[in-house]
PDB file of all heavy atoms in Angstrom:
ATOM      1  N   GLN Z  45     -73.407  21.972  -7.680  1.00 98.00           N
ATOM      2  CA  GLN Z  45     -73.165  22.847  -6.537  1.00 98.00           C
ATOM      3  C   GLN Z  45     -73.448  24.298  -6.913  1.00 98.00           C
ATOM      4  O   GLN Z  45     -74.085  25.029  -6.150  1.00 98.00           O
ATOM      5  CB  GLN Z  45     -71.728  22.689  -6.059  1.00 98.00           C
ATOM      6  CG  GLN Z  45     -71.406  23.471  -4.810  1.00 98.00           C
ATOM      7  CD  GLN Z  45     -69.964  23.258  -4.345  1.00 98.00           C
ATOM      8  OE1 GLN Z  45     -69.164  22.677  -5.072  1.00 98.00           O
ATOM      9  NE2 GLN Z  45     -69.652  23.718  -3.159  1.00 98.00           N
ATOM     10  N   ALA Z  46     -73.010  24.716  -8.094  1.00 98.00           N
ATOM     11  CA  ALA Z  46     -73.267  26.086  -8.544  1.00 98.00           C
ATOM     12  C   ALA Z  46     -74.761  26.313  -8.738  1.00 98.00           C
ATOM     13  O   ALA Z  46     -75.291  27.386  -8.384  1.00 98.00           O
ATOM     14  CB  ALA Z  46     -72.511  26.358  -9.836  1.00 98.00           C
ATOM     15  N   ALA Z  47     -75.474  25.328  -9.272  1.00 98.00           N
ATOM     16  CA  ALA Z  47     -76.918  25.459  -9.455  1.00 98.00           C
ATOM     17  C   ALA Z  47     -77.628  25.554  -8.107  1.00 98.00           C
ATOM     18  O   ALA Z  47     -78.562  26.355  -7.942  1.00 98.00           O
ATOM     19  CB  ALA Z  47     -77.448  24.276 -10.258  1.00 98.00           C
ATOM     20  N   PHE Z  48     -77.202  24.759  -7.141  1.00 98.00           N
ATOM     21  CA  PHE Z  48     -77.804  24.806  -5.811  1.00 98.00           C
ATOM     22  C   PHE Z  48     -77.569  26.154  -5.148  1.00 98.00           C
ATOM     23  O   PHE Z  48     -78.493  26.756  -4.583  1.00 98.00           O
ATOM     24  CB  PHE Z  48     -77.240  23.677  -4.939  1.00 98.00           C
ATOM     25  CG  PHE Z  48     -77.768  23.680  -3.540  1.00 98.00           C
ATOM     26  CD1 PHE Z  48     -79.062  23.255  -3.273  1.00 98.00           C
ATOM     27  CD2 PHE Z  48     -76.975  24.115  -2.489  1.00 98.00           C
ATOM     28  CE1 PHE Z  48     -79.548  23.263  -1.983  1.00 98.00           C
ATOM     29  CE2 PHE Z  48     -77.458  24.123  -1.197  1.00 98.00           C
ATOM     30  CZ  PHE Z  48     -78.752  23.700  -0.937  1.00 98.00           C
ATOM     31  N   ILE Z  49     -76.349  26.655  -5.210  1.00 98.00           N
ATOM     32  CA  ILE Z  49     -76.039  27.951  -4.599  1.00 98.00           C
ATOM     33  C   ILE Z  49     -76.795  29.061  -5.321  1.00 98.00           C
ATOM     34  O   ILE Z  49     -77.336  29.976  -4.687  1.00 98.00           O
ATOM     35  CB  ILE Z  49     -74.517  28.192  -4.602  1.00 98.00           C
ATOM     36  CG1 ILE Z  49     -73.841  27.236  -3.618  1.00 98.00           C
ATOM     37  CG2 ILE Z  49     -74.185  29.640  -4.250  1.00 98.00           C
ATOM     38  CD1 ILE Z  49     -72.323  27.257  -3.661  1.00 98.00           C
ATOM     39  N   GLY Z  50     -76.866  28.981  -6.649  1.00 98.00           N
ATOM     40  CA  GLY Z  50     -77.614  29.987  -7.415  1.00 98.00           C
ATOM     41  C   GLY Z  50     -79.085  29.986  -7.049  1.00 98.00           C
ATOM     42  O   GLY Z  50     -79.701  31.059  -6.896  1.00 98.00           O
ATOM     43  N   THR Z  51     -79.666  28.812  -6.892  1.00 98.00           N
ATOM     44  CA  THR Z  51     -81.073  28.715  -6.499  1.00 98.00           C
ATOM     45  C   THR Z  51     -81.286  29.294  -5.106  1.00 98.00           C
ATOM     46  O   THR Z  51     -82.263  30.013  -4.865  1.00 98.00           O
ATOM     47  CB  THR Z  51     -81.534  27.249  -6.546  1.00 98.00           C
ATOM     48  OG1 THR Z  51     -81.324  26.742  -7.863  1.00 98.00           O
ATOM     49  CG2 THR Z  51     -82.990  27.104  -6.172  1.00 98.00           C
ATOM     50  N   ALA Z  52     -80.383  29.007  -4.201  1.00 98.00           N
ATOM     51  CA  ALA Z  52     -80.492  29.535  -2.836  1.00 98.00           C
ATOM     52  C   ALA Z  52     -80.398  31.056  -2.836  1.00 98.00           C
ATOM     53  O   ALA Z  52     -81.155  31.742  -2.128  1.00 98.00           O
ATOM     54  CB  ALA Z  52     -79.409  28.928  -1.946  1.00 98.00           C
ATOM     55  N   VAL Z  53     -79.520  31.603  -3.652  1.00 98.00           N
ATOM     56  CA  VAL Z  53     -79.372  33.062  -3.722  1.00 98.00           C
ATOM     57  C   VAL Z  53     -80.623  33.696  -4.311  1.00 98.00           C
ATOM     58  O   VAL Z  53     -81.128  34.714  -3.805  1.00 98.00           O
ATOM     59  CB  VAL Z  53     -78.111  33.438  -4.540  1.00 98.00           C
ATOM     60  CG1 VAL Z  53     -78.095  34.906  -4.899  1.00 98.00           C
ATOM     61  CG2 VAL Z  53     -76.855  33.075  -3.768  1.00 98.00           C
ATOM     62  N   VAL Z  54     -81.160  33.107  -5.364  1.00 98.00           N
ATOM     63  CA  VAL Z  54     -82.374  33.653  -5.986  1.00 98.00           C
ATOM     64  C   VAL Z  54     -83.553  33.599  -5.022  1.00 98.00           C
ATOM     65  O   VAL Z  54     -84.325  34.564  -4.905  1.00 98.00           O
ATOM     66  CB  VAL Z  54     -82.685  32.906  -7.301  1.00 98.00           C
ATOM     67  CG1 VAL Z  54     -84.074  33.206  -7.805  1.00 98.00           C
ATOM     68  CG2 VAL Z  54     -81.656  33.259  -8.358  1.00 98.00           C
ATOM     69  N   LEU Z  55     -83.701  32.480  -4.309  1.00 98.00           N
ATOM     70  CA  LEU Z  55     -84.796  32.386  -3.339  1.00 98.00           C
ATOM     71  C   LEU Z  55     -84.635  33.386  -2.198  1.00 98.00           C
ATOM     72  O   LEU Z  55     -85.614  33.989  -1.751  1.00 98.00           O
ATOM     73  CB  LEU Z  55     -84.893  30.969  -2.787  1.00 98.00           C
ATOM     74  CG  LEU Z  55     -85.504  29.935  -3.735  1.00 98.00           C
ATOM     75  CD1 LEU Z  55     -85.428  28.541  -3.110  1.00 98.00           C
ATOM     76  CD2 LEU Z  55     -86.935  30.283  -4.054  1.00 98.00           C
ATOM     77  N   SER Z  56     -83.415  33.562  -1.737  1.00 98.00           N
ATOM     78  CA  SER Z  56     -83.208  34.533  -0.653  1.00 98.00           C
ATOM     79  C   SER Z  56     -83.486  35.955  -1.136  1.00 98.00           C
ATOM     80  O   SER Z  56     -84.075  36.760  -0.406  1.00 98.00           O
ATOM     81  CB  SER Z  56     -81.802  34.404  -0.081  1.00 98.00           C
ATOM     82  OG  SER Z  56     -80.840  34.752  -1.064  1.00 98.00           O
ATOM     83  N   LEU Z  57     -83.103  36.271  -2.371  1.00 98.00           N
ATOM     84  CA  LEU Z  57     -83.423  37.599  -2.911  1.00 98.00           C
ATOM     85  C   LEU Z  57     -84.934  37.778  -3.081  1.00 98.00           C
ATOM     86  O   LEU Z  57     -85.472  38.871  -2.840  1.00 98.00           O
ATOM     87  CB  LEU Z  57     -82.719  37.819  -4.250  1.00 98.00           C
ATOM     88  CG  LEU Z  57     -81.212  38.038  -4.185  1.00 98.00           C
ATOM     89  CD1 LEU Z  57     -80.628  38.113  -5.599  1.00 98.00           C
ATOM     90  CD2 LEU Z  57     -80.890  39.318  -3.427  1.00 98.00           C
ATOM     91  N   LEU Z  58     -85.625  36.713  -3.462  1.00 97.00           N
ATOM     92  CA  LEU Z  58     -87.078  36.769  -3.588  1.00 97.00           C
ATOM     93  C   LEU Z  58     -87.722  37.047  -2.237  1.00 97.00           C
ATOM     94  O   LEU Z  58     -88.579  37.950  -2.123  1.00 97.00           O
ATOM     95  CB  LEU Z  58     -87.605  35.451  -4.155  1.00 97.00           C
ATOM     96  CG  LEU Z  58     -89.124  35.317  -4.230  1.00 97.00           C
ATOM     97  CD1 LEU Z  58     -89.666  36.234  -5.315  1.00 97.00           C
ATOM     98  CD2 LEU Z  58     -89.512  33.883  -4.489  1.00 97.00           C
ATOM     99  N   PHE Z  59     -87.312  36.326  -1.203  1.00 97.00           N
ATOM    100  CA  PHE Z  59     -87.876  36.558   0.123  1.00 97.00           C
ATOM    101  C   PHE Z  59     -87.525  37.949   0.641  1.00 97.00           C
ATOM    102  O   PHE Z  59     -88.358  38.615   1.266  1.00 97.00           O
ATOM    103  CB  PHE Z  59     -87.411  35.493   1.108  1.00 97.00           C
ATOM    104  CG  PHE Z  59     -88.050  34.151   0.888  1.00 97.00           C
ATOM    105  CD1 PHE Z  59     -87.280  33.009   0.825  1.00 97.00           C
ATOM    106  CD2 PHE Z  59     -89.419  34.028   0.748  1.00 97.00           C
ATOM    107  CE1 PHE Z  59     -87.864  31.770   0.621  1.00 97.00           C
ATOM    108  CE2 PHE Z  59     -90.016  32.791   0.545  1.00 97.00           C
ATOM    109  CZ  PHE Z  59     -89.237  31.664   0.483  1.00 97.00           C
ATOM    110  N   LEU Z  60     -86.320  38.415   0.391  1.00 97.00           N
ATOM    111  CA  LEU Z  60     -85.936  39.760   0.830  1.00 97.00           C
ATOM    112  C   LEU Z  60     -86.741  40.824   0.100  1.00 97.00           C
ATOM    113  O   LEU Z  60     -87.148  41.831   0.705  1.00 97.00           O
ATOM    114  CB  LEU Z  60     -84.437  39.977   0.615  1.00 97.00           C
ATOM    115  CG  LEU Z  60     -83.504  39.269   1.596  1.00 97.00           C
ATOM    116  CD1 LEU Z  60     -82.045  39.472   1.171  1.00 97.00           C
ATOM    117  CD2 LEU Z  60     -83.717  39.792   3.012  1.00 97.00           C
ATOM    118  N   SER Z  61     -86.992  40.637  -1.173  1.00 96.00           N
ATOM    119  CA  SER Z  61     -87.771  41.640  -1.911  1.00 96.00           C
ATOM    120  C   SER Z  61     -89.229  41.639  -1.458  1.00 96.00           C
ATOM    121  O   SER Z  61     -89.854  42.695  -1.356  1.00 96.00           O
ATOM    122  CB  SER Z  61     -87.684  41.393  -3.413  1.00 96.00           C
ATOM    123  OG  SER Z  61     -88.297  40.176  -3.758  1.00 96.00           O
ATOM    124  N   VAL Z  62     -89.792  40.473  -1.153  1.00 96.00           N
ATOM    125  CA  VAL Z  62     -91.164  40.422  -0.629  1.00 96.00           C
ATOM    126  C   VAL Z  62     -91.217  41.089   0.740  1.00 96.00           C
ATOM    127  O   VAL Z  62     -92.137  41.864   1.032  1.00 96.00           O
ATOM    128  CB  VAL Z  62     -91.658  38.955  -0.563  1.00 96.00           C
ATOM    129  CG1 VAL Z  62     -92.950  38.840   0.227  1.00 96.00           C
ATOM    130  CG2 VAL Z  62     -91.845  38.409  -1.964  1.00 96.00           C
ATOM    131  N   ALA Z  63     -90.229  40.832   1.585  1.00 95.00           N
ATOM    132  CA  ALA Z  63     -90.181  41.459   2.910  1.00 95.00           C
ATOM    133  C   ALA Z  63     -90.024  42.970   2.783  1.00 95.00           C
ATOM    134  O   ALA Z  63     -90.669  43.730   3.512  1.00 95.00           O
ATOM    135  CB  ALA Z  63     -89.035  40.877   3.723  1.00 95.00           C
ATOM    136  N   ALA Z  64     -89.206  43.432   1.842  1.00 95.00           N
ATOM    137  CA  ALA Z  64     -89.029  44.873   1.641  1.00 95.00           C
ATOM    138  C   ALA Z  64     -90.330  45.492   1.126  1.00 95.00           C
ATOM    139  O   ALA Z  64     -90.699  46.601   1.516  1.00 95.00           O
ATOM    140  CB  ALA Z  64     -87.883  45.130   0.664  1.00 95.00           C
ATOM    141  N   GLY Z  65     -91.047  44.767   0.253  1.00 94.00           N
ATOM    142  CA  GLY Z  65     -92.330  45.270  -0.250  1.00 94.00           C
ATOM    143  C   GLY Z  65     -93.338  45.401   0.861  1.00 94.00           C
ATOM    144  O   GLY Z  65     -94.064  46.408   0.941  1.00 94.00           O
ATOM    145  N   PHE Z  66     -93.439  44.401   1.719  1.00 92.00           N
ATOM    146  CA  PHE Z  66     -94.352  44.503   2.860  1.00 92.00           C
ATOM    147  C   PHE Z  66     -93.911  45.625   3.789  1.00 92.00           C
ATOM    148  O   PHE Z  66     -94.764  46.322   4.371  1.00 92.00           O
ATOM    149  CB  PHE Z  66     -94.408  43.183   3.628  1.00 92.00           C
ATOM    150  CG  PHE Z  66     -95.350  42.175   3.040  1.00 92.00           C
ATOM    151  CD1 PHE Z  66     -94.912  40.903   2.757  1.00 92.00           C
ATOM    152  CD2 PHE Z  66     -96.669  42.516   2.781  1.00 92.00           C
ATOM    153  CE1 PHE Z  66     -95.764  39.958   2.215  1.00 92.00           C
ATOM    154  CE2 PHE Z  66     -97.541  41.584   2.248  1.00 92.00           C
ATOM    155  CZ  PHE Z  66     -97.097  40.294   1.961  1.00 92.00           C
ATOM    156  N   GLY Z  67     -92.628  45.807   3.955  1.00 91.00           N
ATOM    157  CA  GLY Z  67     -92.129  46.875   4.820  1.00 91.00           C
ATOM    158  C   GLY Z  67     -92.488  48.238   4.275  1.00 91.00           C
ATOM    159  O   GLY Z  67     -92.849  49.141   5.033  1.00 91.00           O
ATOM    160  N   LEU Z  68     -92.438  48.425   2.954  1.00 91.00           N
ATOM    161  CA  LEU Z  68     -92.803  49.712   2.357  1.00 91.00           C
ATOM    162  C   LEU Z  68     -94.307  49.960   2.436  1.00 91.00           C
ATOM    163  O   LEU Z  68     -94.745  51.093   2.636  1.00 91.00           O
ATOM    164  CB  LEU Z  68     -92.339  49.763   0.909  1.00 91.00           C
ATOM    165  CG  LEU Z  68     -90.848  49.874   0.682  1.00 91.00           C
ATOM    166  CD1 LEU Z  68     -90.526  49.804  -0.808  1.00 91.00           C
ATOM    167  CD2 LEU Z  68     -90.291  51.169   1.261  1.00 91.00           C
ATOM    168  N   VAL Z  69     -95.089  48.911   2.290  1.00 90.00           N
ATOM    169  CA  VAL Z  69     -96.566  49.050   2.316  1.00 90.00           C
ATOM    170  C   VAL Z  69     -97.041  49.355   3.727  1.00 90.00           C
ATOM    171  O   VAL Z  69     -97.938  50.186   3.906  1.00 90.00           O
ATOM    172  CB  VAL Z  69     -97.238  47.756   1.792  1.00 90.00           C
ATOM    173  CG1 VAL Z  69     -98.734  47.765   2.037  1.00 90.00           C
ATOM    174  CG2 VAL Z  69     -96.943  47.604   0.306  1.00 90.00           C
ATOM    175  N   LEU Z  70     -96.460  48.732   4.718  1.00 86.00           N
ATOM    176  CA  LEU Z  70     -96.912  48.936   6.092  1.00 86.00           C
ATOM    177  C   LEU Z  70     -96.454  50.234   6.709  1.00 86.00           C
ATOM    178  O   LEU Z  70     -97.017  50.681   7.700  1.00 86.00           O
ATOM    179  CB  LEU Z  70     -96.455  47.762   6.961  1.00 86.00           C
ATOM    180  CG  LEU Z  70     -97.065  46.395   6.602  1.00 86.00           C
ATOM    181  CD1 LEU Z  70     -96.484  45.304   7.506  1.00 86.00           C
ATOM    182  CD2 LEU Z  70     -98.580  46.420   6.734  1.00 86.00           C
TER     183      LEU Z  70
END
Side-chain angles (χ1 to χ4, degrees):
Q45 185 179 11
F48 178 74
I49 290 173
T51 302
V53 167
V54 167
L55 285 175
S56 65
L57 288 175
L58 175 71
F59 287 131
L60 286 175
S61 65
V62 169
F66 277 127
L68 289 176
V69 170
L70 295 178

